[in-house]
Amino acid sequence: MRASLNWLSEYVNLPEIPAEALAERLTLAGLEVERIEDLVAEGVVVARVASVDPHPQAGTLSVCQVETGHDHRTVVCGAENVRAGGLFPLAVPGARLPGGEVSVAKIRGVKSEGMLLSRKELGLEAKSTGVWDLPADLPVGADLAPLIGLPDTLLSLKITSNRPDLLGILGIAREISALYRTPLREPEISYPEAEPPAATLTSVEIEDPADCPRYVARVIQGIVDRPSPLLIEARLLKAGMRPLSLVVDVTNYVLLEVGHPLHAFDRRRLAEGRIVVRRARPGERIRTLDGVDRDLSSEVLVIADGQRPVAVAGVMGGAETEVSPDTRDILLEAAAFSPVRVRRSSRAVGLRTEASLRFERGLSPETAKLASRRCCTLLAYHAPVRIARGEVDNYPSPAKAWVIPLRKRRLAEVLGVEVPPAEVEDGLTRLGLTVHNREGSWEIAIPPFRQDLAREIDLIEEVARLYGYDRVPTLPPRVEPRIGKKDPGEAFADRVRDILAALGLLEAYSPGLVPATGAEVKLRNPLAQGGDGLRADLLPGLLGGVQENLAAQAPGVAMFEVGRVFRKRDGHVMEEDRLGIVLAGRPPLPLSGKGEYSPADLKGILDALLSALRVEGVELGEVEDPRLHPHRRAGIYLSRGPSDHGPQTTDHGSRTLIGWLGELSPSLRATLPGERRVLALELALSPLRAVARPPAHRPLPRSPASKRDLSLFVPQDVPEGDIRAELLADPLVESAFLYDLYRGEGVPAGHLSLTYEVVFRDPERTLSSDEVEGAVGRILARLVPRGVRIRT
């Protein structure tokens, strides 16, 4: 937003301080000034070109004889649009311009006694196609500077998205009024009206008030095609807008002044002369004012007449109903549109405009009528138009001011300083708020144009802005220090991370946003293409990490990730922390040779994790999962603990499926370099957290252990876990380690040979050989009914 100080001074008395000091005060109050630009045109007059002759030595230059009202001068000019009889700005020698001082110069042998100027050379445009062709009714020799509002200073302001009321000169003037306690002058509203009433000339229909809370239509007749006054053109140019014609320029002028966009339709080109605000219908198109034909979708809000769309609401008008030199009657639109709807319309048609910028931030419906009446005032002042009596104002649910209490004690507590009550009331009143003083508090009515004020803390911030943050003393905090505590779920996740890192695995982070095709939960408003869903599991991200590492010639990959996944359960979105592990290639261990990770390595990692977490009751079982190799997969079951652990756990009788492990199917690893074997595991953390126990330490045993190797013939249909359970069931057995599995000669058909190292220990005393043998006998007695016998 570029604000002219000359324009601001029409509505508020500016303090007599340098522009830099004003910019600093505005910045401290939240209106960041990014740039200060000074415009000057000393020694520039309105001049008439008497004759134009070719330059004798340069075909692209002209030698002009120029009348200044006091003398005649010879000026060399290179503009193609210079012509005899035209009025143009002339900088005489010694004139001061934004680009420097003008002096007499000899150009290709011809003495030039001045310079005919373009808008660019006056600092009004970034690029000009020729010298500025001034209106023919200007007096020759007149000083141009006051005619175009120079000298002037422009402030480039960065307006935050929650303050659309500051996207107009009036809003900025209101802020200056409050900051410097100076009166605010409202724009003049005064114009004559004539018969017939506007309601007999047009009508307005709004299909959905949520899309368009208010639409004000006025009819203005007797339009004459003429240029705008020079001052209006200059102010538009300073703001970065190009002057076109009086009607269009005045609507843009009010946009910059009040901050509310307007649009003028050629009323004779509106079918049936009426307005319908609705969504676009299938197959509809519109040619916008920039000459581009655009397809419309049901996301786009349009302004239609009795037959077709004539504008994209809040974005840009249509070419078929634009104001032209032949326009005699206009329908003036002043409306309020839904910010969300304008944003979607703007995206759908690929257009961002000054109007959409403002509507997307949420303009108050109340300013629509003010902007409409101000436009009528300016048109009536500068042209002999006839304004139809009244307006058509479709406003189904008028906005009401809301009241927020502001506690005086709370204000002092938050700011740490006592702001005088009179200063609080004066500042907030100048901002347009209505303040009622009550015992211990103020009741403050918020005007509709300040939709950013919704809570007490918002009002405290307003008081702080006006009082001045630099006036708030720096004090040490007066709060009692408290020890923070991590969320139990996050603390458990950190514990899992530490354990896996200690086991030699590297932690990975993968995006939580994934393509919608691989997600159960989809986003309504995705921020980027390909990120329109939330991940349902961790495996795809980890596989991406495996692929990148193997492609970079890494010999092996051992990674884990702890992350949140999202799934639907009974129509509700459920989220849960999960653990994912992938192994591929060779372990980075000395003397490991070229052997790759095996399922035993993955199982060992799981056992180590469960042991460190002191989790019991976890066992492997069958599972159906097409992502895993049909003969190298297992489900991870928890046999005790809560039955409902989260969205990705499943009850199976007395146990709960909390995860899976195994080798990935060939289809999932087909894209990996060398088609390496990939082992993976995924596990829900919430059920583990429910049964995990904190680390516990016990002293080293004082009595020695006794070890025995037991070689057993075990039927193939007996699970090894059952044999281990029987071994550990004896009270004297401390551990059982399976170190040999043999099938072949000497082993009965249908059997396996399993050899265990069994450790016996009593914590209080040394076991005798008879006690150890007795324990072995008890174990064998329990195993015989299962068809197990000792190998001799």
Side-chain angles (χ1 to χ4, degrees):
M1 176 69 187
R2 300 176 73 189
S4 158
L5 291 190
N6 284 349
W7 200 352
L8 283 169
S9 66
E10 291 187 5
Y11 302 108
V12 66
N13 296 327
L14 296 178
E16 296 182 359
I17 57 176
E20 291 75 13
L22 175 63
E24 182 179 5
R25 184 70 178 94
L26 290 174
T27 299
L28 290 175
L31 283 74
E32 181 181 352
V33 178
E34 298 181 305
R35 182 184 178 190
I36 303 174
E37 184 179 356
D38 291 320
L39 300 182
V40 63
E42 293 182 5
V44 179
V45 298
V46 178
R48 176 182 287 112
V49 174
S51 64
V52 179
D53 298 312
H55 193 288
Q57 298 183 23
T60 59
L61 300 178
S62 303
V63 179
C64 305
Q65 298 302 318
V66 180
E67 301 174 357
T68 66
H70 306 287
D71 56 17
H72 290 73
R73 295 175 179 271
T74 300
V75 177
V76 177
C77 180
E80 295 182 359
N81 68 324
V82 67
R83 56 184 174 82
L87 298 185
F88 304 95
L90 172 67
V92 300
R96 290 180 59 240
L97 300 174
E101 188 171 317
V102 177
S103 59
V104 176
K106 185 172 285 189
I107 302 175
R108 302 294 292 271
V110 178
K111 183 179 179 182
S112 181
E113 302 173 300
M115 181 179 180
L116 294 177
L117 303 176
S118 67
R119 292 167 174 170
K120 177 183 178 182
E121 289 153 341
L122 287 166
L124 301 178
E125 274 185 339
K127 182 179 181 181
S128 297
T129 57
V131 291
W132 192 357
D133 196 346
L134 298 173
D137 58 352
L138 294 182
V140 175
D143 186 2
L144 182 66
L147 299 178
I148 59 175
L150 296 183
D152 198 0
T153 300
L154 303 182
L155 303 182
S156 294
L157 299 164
K158 183 178 181 180
I159 307 301
T160 56
S161 60
N162 67 331
R163 292 298 305 273
D165 59 298
L166 297 180
L167 291 172
I169 293 293
L170 183 60
I172 299 171
R174 184 182 292 111
E175 289 285 313
I176 295 175
S177 168
L179 291 171
Y180 290 96
R181 301 185 188 178
T182 183
L184 177 69
R185 294 181 288 273
E186 297 287 343
E188 180 185 354
I189 304 294
S190 176
Y191 54 89
E193 293 183 335
E195 297 293 339
T200 64
L201 301 174
T202 189
S203 64
V204 174
E205 176 186 345
I206 300 174
E207 288 193 353
D208 187 352
D211 289 340
C212 177
R214 187 179 195 181
Y215 195 104
V216 179
R218 294 181 185 273
V219 176
I220 304 174
Q221 301 172 314
I223 300 295
V224 178
D225 182 44
R226 62 169 60 179
S228 299
L230 203 56
L231 184 59
I232 288 182
E233 287 194 6
R235 286 183 173 176
L236 293 178
L237 289 167
K238 291 174 187 178
M241 289 187 170
R242 183 167 55 93
L244 296 173
S245 66
L246 178 62
V247 171
V248 177
D249 292 349
V250 167
T251 59
N252 287 333
Y253 186 91
V254 174
L255 161 72
L256 297 171
E257 182 182 51
V258 180
H260 200 105
L262 302 169
H263 185 69
F265 297 97
D266 188 329
R267 182 174 165 273
R268 294 182 181 180
R269 299 184 184 181
L270 292 174
E272 302 176 17
R274 65 191 184 97
I275 292 293
V276 180
V277 186
R278 59 172 174 81
R279 301 282 185 90
R281 308 259 160 77
E284 286 188 324
R285 306 186 74 200
I286 187 174
R287 173 170 292 184
T288 47
L289 289 173
D290 56 1
V292 178
D293 291 322
R294 303 180 188 276
D295 294 321
L296 304 176
S297 68
S298 59
E299 287 290 317
V300 179
L301 184 67
V302 299
I303 309 299
D305 59 10
Q307 298 177 354
R308 82 286 194 201
V310 294
V312 180
V315 181
M316 184 177 283
E320 293 184 6
T321 56
E322 71 173 317
V323 175
S324 68
D326 298 328
T327 299
R328 295 296 173 262
D329 298 346
I330 65 168
L331 186 145
L332 181 64
E333 167 193 288
F337 301 109
S338 161
V340 173
R341 183 55 48 203
V342 172
R343 189 177 302 116
R344 291 180 178 176
S345 298
S346 177
R347 285 185 182 180
V349 300
L351 270 175
R352 291 296 301 278
T353 62
E354 289 288 337
S356 68
L357 170 70
R358 287 162 171 80
F359 282 122
E360 287 179 14
R361 300 188 180 198
L363 293 179
S364 167
E366 293 298 309
T367 59
K369 189 169 185 177
L370 170 64
S372 177
R373 299 183 66 201
R374 178 60 176 162
C375 184
C376 291
T377 299
L378 293 175
L379 285 176
Y381 182 80
H382 293 292
V385 298
R386 300 187 311 277
I387 302 172
R389 181 167 55 83
E391 74 276 336
V392 178
D393 188 357
N394 194 331
Y395 196 7
S397 301
K400 297 181 180 179
W402 56 97
V403 176
I404 301 176
L406 173 58
R407 294 167 291 173
K408 299 176 182 179
R409 175 182 53 81
R410 183 59 178 163
L411 177 65
E413 289 176 349
V414 174
L415 297 186
V417 63
E418 292 285 346
V419 181
E423 190 172 337
V424 173
E425 296 174 13
D426 180 68
L428 295 181
T429 300
R430 292 184 184 278
L431 287 177
L433 285 61
T434 303
V435 181
H436 296 285
N437 197 347
R438 299 288 185 260
E439 183 67 28
S441 67
W442 293 283
E443 288 186 359
I444 300 177
I446 311 300
F449 65 84
R450 287 303 303 272
Q451 299 184 38
D452 59 305
L453 302 180
R455 303 169 299 167
E456 182 184 49
I457 194 66
D458 298 330
L459 294 175
I460 295 175
E461 182 182 7
E462 291 299 292
V463 174
R465 288 194 314 111
L466 300 180
Y467 182 73
Y469 293 116
D470 54 327
R471 296 172 62 190
V472 177
T474 302
L475 298 174
R478 291 181 292 178
V479 297
E480 296 181 4
R482 298 178 182 177
I483 299 176
K485 204 171 186 180
K486 263 194 175 180
D487 175 79
E490 185 58 35
F492 182 75
D494 286 345
R495 186 179 170 192
V496 171
R497 291 186 180 100
D498 292 341
I499 294 170
L500 293 175
L503 292 173
L505 279 73
L506 299 178
E507 185 172 6
Y509 293 92
S510 57
L513 298 177
V514 297
T517 53
E520 293 183 12
V521 180
K522 299 174 178 58
L523 301 178
R524 291 180 179 175
N525 296 303
L527 297 178
Q529 187 176 5
D532 40 8
L534 297 175
R535 63 183 176 185
D537 54 68
L538 303 177
L539 182 59
L542 288 171
L543 278 181
V546 171
Q547 185 170 10
E548 289 187 18
N549 279 271
L550 295 182
Q553 306 298 316
V557 180
M559 296 190 305
F560 76 92
E561 179 176 8
V562 174
R564 184 152 295 185
V565 298
F566 304 83
R567 285 193 174 180
K568 283 191 174 180
R569 185 179 187 185
D570 299 329
H572 299 285
V573 176
M574 308 294 291
E575 49 186 290
E576 184 181 30
D577 290 328
R578 303 275 290 185
L579 165 67
I581 298 176
V582 289
L583 305 177
R586 302 201 303 267
L589 299 175
L591 306 178
S592 62
K594 293 189 176 182
E596 296 190 347
Y597 284 109
S598 68
D601 295 315
L602 186 62
K603 175 64 164 53
I605 292 172
L606 175 63
D607 288 343
L609 173 65
L610 297 176
S611 175
L613 294 175
R614 300 186 68 206
V615 171
E616 298 178 356
V618 173
E619 58 187 40
L620 301 183
E622 296 182 359
V623 70
E624 294 291 333
D625 195 324
R627 297 174 297 178
L628 303 178
H629 192 289
H631 305 299
R632 299 168 193 158
R633 66 189 182 193
I636 304 173
Y637 293 88
L638 183 63
S639 60
R640 66 184 182 87
S643 61
D644 186 5
H645 297 291
Q648 300 194 56
T649 59
T650 307
D651 289 340
H652 291 260
S654 62
R655 60 183 187 172
T656 303
L657 177 66
I658 63 172
W660 52 263
L661 61 81
E663 180 181 327
L664 297 186
S665 65
S667 61
L668 280 182
R669 52 185 173 85
T671 59
L672 299 178
E675 296 191 12
R676 299 285 188 90
R677 166 196 275 189
V678 178
L679 303 163
L681 173 152
E682 191 163 320
L683 192 60
L685 292 184
S686 55
L688 287 185
R689 181 165 66 90
V691 297
R693 293 177 292 169
H697 305 279
R698 58 185 178 183
L700 294 173
R702 301 173 64 91
S703 56
S706 296
K707 297 182 180 179
R708 296 287 189 276
D709 286 349
L710 291 182
S711 294
L712 306 173
F713 288 129
V714 180
Q716 291 183 356
D717 60 350
V718 176
E720 187 275 336
D722 293 355
I723 305 300
R724 182 186 301 273
E726 294 292 351
L727 293 174
L728 295 175
D730 194 275
L732 295 182
V733 174
E734 183 178 80
S735 65
F737 173 64
L738 174 67
Y739 70 87
D740 184 67
L741 182 153
Y742 174 71
R743 55 168 67 89
E745 186 177 352
V747 178
H751 286 68
L752 298 174
S753 174
L754 303 180
T755 302
Y756 292 88
E757 180 188 73
V758 184
V759 177
F760 299 88
R761 192 193 307 266
D762 188 290
E764 303 296 335
R765 57 189 178 81
T766 301
L767 296 175
S768 65
S769 297
D770 292 341
E771 289 176 311
V772 173
E773 293 299 330
V776 172
R778 290 193 299 272
I779 292 171
L780 294 177
R782 290 194 300 271
L783 292 175
V784 168
R786 304 293 298 271
V788 178
R789 56 190 177 90
I790 194 166
R791 179 180 177 182
T792 58

